[in-house]
Amino acid sequence: MTPTSNKQKLSRRPVFKLRLFVFQLIMLTAICLMMSSSELTRWRRLSETHINSKGLCLVRTIEPHVLRFMDENDLGGLKKLAHSLTSSEIPNNDVISVQILDGSLQKIAESSHETPVALGGLTHLPATVVIANPLFDSTTQQPRGTLRMVFSNRYFEEKSQEVVRSTVVYFIIGMIMSLLSTWLLSRMVQAPVDILAEAAMKLSEGESNVQIELDADNEIGILVESFNQMSLRINKHLTELRQKNLQLEHKTYELSTLQHIGRSLSSILDQDMVYETIVDNVINVLSGVKRCSLLLIDEKCNEFIFKVAKGLDPEIMPESGRLQIKDGIAAKVCQTGEAVLLNDINEEDDTKILEESKVIRSSICSPIKISGKVIGILSLSNRISGIPFNEIDLRLVEGVSIEAAIAIKNARLWQDLKRKVLELNTLHEVGKNLSLVLDINKLLELVLDLTAKVLGGVKTSSVILHDSESDCLQVMLYKGERTVEAMQPIKAGDGIAGKVFLRGEPIIINDFHLPEGNQGVGGRSSICVPLKVKEKTIGVLSVSDKRSGEPFDQSDLDMMVTLASQISISLYNAQLYEDLEASYLSAVRALANSIDAKDAYTRGHSERVAHYSMEIGRTMGFSPAEIKNLHIGALLHDIGKIGISEAIINKDSKLTDAEYQEIKTHPARGASIIEPAKFLREKVPLIKYHHERYDGKGYPDGLKGEAIPLMARIVCAADSFDAMTSKRAYRDIMPLDEARQELLRCSGTQFDPRIVSAFLEVLTDEKKITTIANLGK
């Protein structure tokens, strides 16, 4: 809407004029009402006073006559008297009605000469004044009755009409004067008001410095001057407000941008993704830059580590991804902890050290702080648009640096938490698994796998144990890229592993400037910890180079030390168990050999039966633990023959029934001998039932089919086969083919068909069977 239309709209609504006129009408009406009311009240009083005095005179005049007629009980006289008082023949007679009442207020005479007049369809009652006078007996002073007279008040009505007519006339005259005064006043006020309204419209539509030129020495002039002052102040305040709004818009943009960045970073906990997201957000916020990089600080090496570098030339970027903190802007920001904005930088300026490239036009370098400590640098240079960076950009980058610090801190805390959880889980898994594994080869394999897992993957790892016979460290297991030097024995004190073994203290090495061909366990980054049992060092555990490329830290070293303490005990226990198992197996073999030695023909029999049984078990898919049990049980299967006379065992002729019954007791005798030994108790069923037959005709209990323990059925077949293929005092060796045929013939009667099938598969390897058959011979 234009100012002209607004002005027209205001002129079509004369609110001020209307209100002024209405106000004057209200005042005029109030004044007229007050004047007419006062005049009417005055005339009413005068009329009533006149009628009252006239009525009292008339009552005193006729009162004796009324009392006389009442004494004479002359009702006719009373009526005549009443009619005479209201007679219309009396000029200007004001008495309208007369009533004479007796002592009981009953009418005894009445007269009236006026009736209500209908005017315009309405009944008009004339104005009246009523006078009621009690009548008393002159002698006794007792009430005799009442004389009631009604007088007409015509005079008052006439005066009232005159007052009303004059009031109406005055009101009309006053209304005309109000119209004239309203018109005059509006003429005096309307023009300056219109000017003020038009100026206010201009001001409201954004015109600045609106001023009114109007000479007036009255209140309007004061109003105009005040408006001009207000216009100047509003213009000043609007200018300030526009500047503040512009600043507020920048602040709002910065806050919304930082909020968006903070929200996007808060959902990321992977450190590499956090670094990448920080750089991408900075590039987007500044509408594209040519170079942007995020560098972390390695305090120990006094180096910058390039985590993200976008826009840097590949030949400028260091191969190691590291740069010494020396001179330049980045080093200055690192030292001072204050962000730097540089524009129009000279080509020869040392600020090229900032990103190992020339920063020619515009650059921002901002520190990333955690708890007031600079942990990294966010560096960017040269907008793609060519517009130099300004203070707003600097504040924005500083805000991003704060959000980046929070995100990096959270990611590090999350990574530390995950690492601690992984370490605890791994330590728990290590403790659980190490306690279950006693095979030293499997244990060493498990040790290196768990070590690599807890460190997040390493390129090389090794377990090196001390050999007391050679007094050297022997590499027991090595994972990674092998070299001839890595597998050589190490003397105590030589190399890193030898020094750690000799001193009994762990070593962590982080030397990223070490050449690739460096010898020893070291390398770019390595940890070597001693393996100790009861303060005695038994070897070392060594790892080198994380697959992530990060150096080992104190947390890695602490974890390795903790892991090494568990590994040491497990290795020591495995060695003890291996020694104990070897001793135990030697004792079993010695016991088996002592039994076989009673008969020259059966020498090596138990050893051969044990090997046949183990081969059958492997063919049938037995586990290593089951194979071991089968081995020990088969070696001891004839232990019960210790209590049988050598004469019976070595007899070269047919045994008598009594002798045969004696021989049949050896499985039960063997079971009773072995049963008291707890570590051999699980072999008892094998020993006791190895002469049971599949068809139930065996001894000692006549078990049948699946009721016979599986291992006992295996030893039964192996025992019979060795007996058939070995020389006896009462017969010669049975050829291998005939022994096979005998196994097939007895399958399902003496032997379990499944075991026969597996045994026949074993017998196909003639070389292996020949080796077994020659044991003990």
Side-chain angles (χ1 to χ4, degrees):
M1 187 178 290
T2 62
T4 306
S5 61
N6 283 329
K7 183 177 178 181
Q8 291 174 354
K9 183 176 179 181
L10 288 172
S11 64
R12 288 196 298 268
R13 298 176 60 188
V15 178
F16 174 73
K17 295 178 183 178
L18 182 61
R19 288 180 179 177
L20 181 61
F21 179 66
V22 170
F23 175 75
Q24 292 187 72
L25 282 182
I26 291 171
M27 293 297 295
L28 179 62
T29 302
I31 292 171
C32 291
L33 289 175
M34 289 172 61
M35 290 176 61
S36 61
S37 175
S38 176
E39 190 69 14
L40 288 172
T41 301
R42 185 175 70 83
W43 283 110
R44 183 186 295 279
R45 286 200 194 102
L46 290 173
S47 175
E48 288 178 353
T49 301
H50 171 72
I51 292 173
N52 283 335
S53 61
K54 182 178 179 180
L56 287 175
C57 289
L58 183 59
V59 166
R60 289 192 185 98
T61 302
I62 66 172
E63 182 178 359
H65 300 288
V66 172
L67 288 174
R68 180 171 57 81
F69 286 134
M70 291 178 71
D71 289 338
E72 295 175 356
N73 199 18
D74 186 358
L75 297 177
L78 289 173
K79 290 180 179 178
K80 287 181 180 179
L81 179 60
H83 283 295
S84 62
L85 289 173
T86 59
S87 175
S88 58
E89 295 177 358
I90 301 172
N92 298 321
N93 187 6
D94 294 332
V95 180
I96 297 174
S97 173
V98 175
Q99 290 181 344
I100 300 172
L101 309 175
D102 59 12
S104 59
L105 299 179
Q106 296 294 324
K107 293 181 184 179
I108 54 177
E110 181 181 13
S111 177
S112 176
H113 74 86
E114 282 195 9
T115 56
V117 179
L119 295 174
L122 298 175
T123 302
H124 174 69
L125 295 175
T128 58
V129 178
V130 179
I131 295 175
N133 187 59
L135 301 176
F136 295 93
D137 191 321
S138 59
T139 303
T140 62
Q141 295 299 316
Q142 293 294 323
R144 295 290 305 277
T146 301
L147 177 61
R148 184 173 179 276
M149 302 177 68
V150 179
F151 292 89
S152 172
N153 202 354
R154 293 189 187 90
Y155 183 73
F156 171 71
E157 283 190 350
E158 292 173 358
K159 289 298 181 181
S160 297
Q161 291 174 2
E162 289 179 6
V163 169
V164 169
R165 282 194 294 272
S166 61
T167 299
V168 171
V169 171
Y170 292 148
F171 182 79
I172 293 170
I173 294 170
M175 187 169 62
I176 294 170
M177 292 180 67
S178 296
L179 284 171
L180 291 173
S181 65
T182 299
W183 181 74
L184 290 173
L185 285 172
S186 64
R187 282 292 300 269
M188 293 172 61
V189 176
Q190 187 68 43
V193 167
D194 287 344
I195 295 172
L196 283 170
E198 184 178 355
M201 283 293 177
K202 291 179 180 179
L203 196 63
S204 67
E205 290 178 358
E207 289 190 29
S208 59
N209 198 19
V210 177
Q211 296 291 305
I212 299 175
E213 296 180 2
L214 184 65
D215 293 331
D217 296 333
N218 53 15
E219 291 82 355
I220 297 297
I222 297 173
L223 182 60
V224 169
E225 184 63 28
S226 299
F227 178 84
N228 290 335
Q229 293 294 328
M230 180 189 71
S231 175
L232 291 174
R233 290 179 182 176
I234 287 176
N235 184 43
K236 180 181 178 181
H237 289 319
L238 281 175
T239 303
E240 294 176 356
L241 186 60
R242 288 189 187 99
Q243 294 176 351
K244 290 180 179 179
N245 281 340
L246 187 60
Q247 295 174 359
L248 183 61
E249 286 177 2
H250 288 305
K251 286 290 184 184
T252 304
Y253 172 71
E254 290 176 17
L255 290 174
S256 62
T257 302
L258 293 176
Q259 183 185 20
H260 172 73
I261 293 173
R263 190 165 56 246
S264 65
L265 289 175
S266 64
S267 61
I268 303 172
L269 293 173
D270 180 76
Q271 288 196 61
D272 292 333
M273 288 185 64
V274 166
Y275 303 144
E276 193 76 24
T277 305
I278 290 168
V279 171
D280 289 342
N281 278 316
V282 171
I283 293 173
N284 291 335
V285 163
L286 298 177
S287 302
V289 295
K290 292 182 179 179
R291 300 184 184 93
C292 185
S293 58
L294 190 149
L295 304 86
L296 295 185
I297 297 171
D298 184 351
E299 291 184 348
K300 293 182 180 178
C301 300
N302 193 36
E303 292 178 335
F304 287 124
I305 304 172
F306 283 83
K307 287 299 180 180
V308 181
K310 296 193 175 184
L312 292 181
D313 297 332
E315 60 272 10
I316 296 175
M317 184 77 177
E319 281 186 28
S320 63
R322 289 169 170 263
L323 186 67
Q324 281 291 321
I325 302 176
K326 295 181 180 178
D327 299 326
I329 298 175
K332 180 180 177 181
V333 171
C334 179
Q335 293 168 1
T336 63
E338 299 293 333
V340 172
L341 167 65
L342 295 173
N343 284 319
D344 297 325
I345 301 174
N346 195 312
E347 190 171 319
E348 287 76 26
D349 201 307
D350 67 350
T351 55
K352 60 186 178 181
I353 301 175
L354 175 68
E355 292 179 338
E356 283 292 296
S357 61
K358 297 175 181 178
V359 182
I360 298 175
R361 183 174 182 183
S362 185
S363 175
I364 291 178
C365 192
S366 176
I368 299 174
K369 300 179 185 178
I370 295 179
S371 302
K373 181 180 178 182
V374 179
I375 58 102
I377 300 292
L378 189 59
S379 174
L380 49 142
S381 60
N382 293 348
R383 267 201 180 101
I384 294 175
S385 63
I387 301 172
F389 297 122
N390 53 37
E391 291 294 331
I392 295 174
D393 298 325
L394 178 64
R395 289 199 307 270
L396 198 56
V397 174
E398 286 179 319
V400 174
S401 298
I402 294 172
E403 295 292 338
I406 296 171
I408 292 172
K409 182 179 180 180
N410 290 340
R412 287 181 174 180
L413 290 173
W414 174 250
Q415 182 172 337
D416 291 343
L417 179 62
K418 281 179 65 179
R419 180 173 180 171
K420 291 297 181 186
V421 171
L422 176 61
E423 288 176 0
L424 291 174
N425 289 336
T426 304
L427 288 175
H428 174 71
E429 187 178 349
V430 166
K432 181 176 66 176
N433 292 331
L434 292 180
S435 63
L436 297 175
V437 179
L438 291 174
D439 185 326
I440 195 164
N441 293 321
K442 290 184 178 179
L443 182 62
L444 293 174
E445 189 81 26
L446 180 62
V447 163
L448 293 188
D449 289 343
L450 292 175
T451 303
K453 179 180 178 182
V454 77
L455 295 175
V458 293
K459 292 181 180 179
T460 61
S461 58
S462 60
V463 178
I464 307 170
L465 299 181
H466 181 252
D467 183 8
S468 57
E469 292 182 3
S470 63
D471 194 26
C472 288
L473 294 171
Q474 298 288 344
V475 179
M476 302 302 295
L477 186 62
Y478 188 95
K479 286 198 172 185
E481 186 178 347
R482 296 192 179 188
T483 60
V484 176
E485 293 82 1
M487 303 303 294
Q488 294 299 315
I490 304 169
K491 290 184 178 181
D494 290 350
I496 296 175
K499 288 183 175 64
V500 170
F501 175 79
L502 189 63
R503 297 172 184 173
E505 296 178 354
I507 290 178
I508 181 170
I509 298 173
N510 285 314
D511 189 354
F512 285 89
H513 299 289
L514 209 63
E516 290 293 331
N518 181 59
Q519 296 180 353
V521 185
R524 293 174 61 194
S525 183
S526 64
I527 293 178
C528 190
V529 296
L531 300 173
K532 290 183 177 181
V533 177
K534 298 179 181 179
E535 301 303 322
K536 179 183 177 182
T537 305
I538 64 170
V540 295
L541 175 64
S542 176
V543 294
S544 296
D545 297 330
K546 283 187 177 181
R547 294 196 179 277
S548 63
E550 296 179 351
F552 292 113
D553 55 22
Q554 187 62 39
S555 179
D556 296 321
L557 181 60
D558 295 340
M559 185 62 190
M560 284 285 290
V561 171
T562 305
L563 196 60
S565 64
Q566 287 187 302
I567 291 169
S568 301
I569 297 170
S570 297
L571 285 172
Y572 184 70
N573 290 339
Q575 286 178 335
L576 288 178
Y577 181 79
E578 196 173 62
D579 294 342
L580 179 63
E581 192 174 51
S583 300
Y584 163 62
L585 195 56
S586 297
V588 170
R589 280 198 176 97
L591 190 58
N593 291 335
S594 70
I595 299 167
D596 294 344
K598 296 179 73 174
D599 183 359
Y601 290 102
T602 60
R603 185 175 293 115
H605 167 70
S606 296
E607 191 75 36
R608 291 191 297 274
V609 170
H611 279 80
Y612 285 135
S613 298
M614 286 192 294
E615 293 300 328
I616 294 170
R618 290 191 183 98
T619 303
M620 295 182 71
F622 278 23
S623 66
E626 291 172 327
I627 295 293
K628 186 178 292 185
N629 285 334
L630 186 58
H631 183 202
I632 302 300
L635 285 173
L636 297 173
H637 76 284
D638 279 342
I639 191 67
K641 289 182 179 181
I642 288 177
I644 298 176
S645 171
E646 290 184 13
I648 296 174
I649 293 174
N650 295 328
K651 187 177 181 179
D652 56 0
S653 60
K654 186 178 180 181
L655 298 175
T656 65
D657 290 342
E659 288 172 339
Y660 183 62
Q661 291 300 322
E662 181 72 12
I663 285 291
K664 287 171 65 176
T665 62
H666 83 272
R669 286 173 183 267
S672 63
I673 292 170
I674 295 300
E675 192 168 13
K678 290 183 180 179
F679 64 94
L680 292 173
R681 192 169 293 167
E682 61 182 356
K683 283 78 174 177
V684 168
L686 182 153
I687 295 168
K688 186 175 182 179
Y689 300 117
H690 74 278
H691 277 295
E692 296 286 357
R693 289 170 56 100
Y694 196 71
D695 57 5
K697 296 178 180 180
Y699 60 87
D701 294 340
L703 299 180
K704 183 179 181 181
E706 298 295 326
I708 306 169
L710 179 60
M711 289 189 181
R713 283 179 265 158
I714 292 173
V715 173
C716 176
D719 186 24
S720 299
F721 180 81
D722 186 68
M724 288 186 286
T725 57
S726 298
K727 185 176 178 61
R728 291 289 187 267
Y730 52 86
R731 62 164 175 78
D732 203 355
I733 297 174
M734 181 183 290
L736 186 59
D737 289 339
E738 289 185 22
R740 287 195 189 99
Q741 293 301 319
E742 187 66 16
L743 286 173
L744 284 171
R745 186 181 68 81
C746 295
S747 176
T749 54
Q750 185 177 355
F751 308 124
D752 183 345
R754 287 191 303 137
I755 293 171
V756 170
S757 177
F759 202 176
L760 290 174
E761 187 177 338
V762 172
L763 294 175
T764 57
D765 190 344
E766 294 184 2
K767 185 177 179 181
K768 183 183 293 184
I769 296 303
T770 302
T771 302
I772 296 173
N774 290 326
L775 291 174
K777 296 179 180 179

